[in-house]
Amino acid sequence: MRNKNLWIILAALVLIAAVFAAALLMKPSPTTITGGQIEAATATDLATTVPAAEVQAYLLVTVGGVTYQPIPLQGEGEFSLTQGEGSMVNTIHVTPTSVWMAESTCDNQDCVDQGVVDLHTMDNRVLGNMIICLPHQVSLELYTAAEMEAIIASLEEAAP
């Protein structure tokens, strides 16, 4: 009886290890970002980013759990996030005060259907200042310049 329990525990541990390994292999990671310069951000990076006086809004992009440097929205344009072998693509359209998911290769298109987030309507949206693409693990967060300054200030206080 003891030997049987040991085999069951061993089989469960092997199954858990296999699921963990599969999750690590399946986790999407951005391979290319085109149309705009975007870099991974750390708390130190965010704390040293100083908002420009003429910028009204900032976009914070997170892909697969990695948060990138805040993007100051100073003009209108698009950029694409391409993950994996090019099978996962999100195209983001920005203006000086708004953001929306213009296109996505995900199956459900919920991120595209979430519409525009702008400084004047983000408080009235179900997701507030966010657009989320769950299949591609992409989230977009729109912040006012004052909100970004507050985030940066709190990070500066927390930095050693």
Side-chain angles (χ1 to χ4, degrees), residues 51-76:
E54 67 275 359
V55 175
Q56 296 178 51
Y58 284 82
L59 175 62
L60 201 58
V61 178
T62 303
V63 181
V66 177
T67 301
Y68 291 84
Q69 291 267 359
I71 301 169
L73 302 183
Q74 296 176 311
E76 186 163 351

Side-chain angles (χ1 to χ4, degrees), residues 33 37-42 45 66-70:
I33 300 171
Q37 190 63 21
I38 180 171
E39 299 175 6
T42 65
D45 293 333
V66 177
T67 301
Y68 291 84
Q69 291 267 359

Side-chain angles (χ1 to χ4, degrees), residues 35 73-80 91-96 98-100 102:
L73 302 183
Q74 296 176 311
E76 186 163 351
E78 288 188 346
F79 64 93
S80 295
T91 303
I92 298 143
H93 191 97
V94 297
T95 71
S98 66
V99 62
W100 66 90

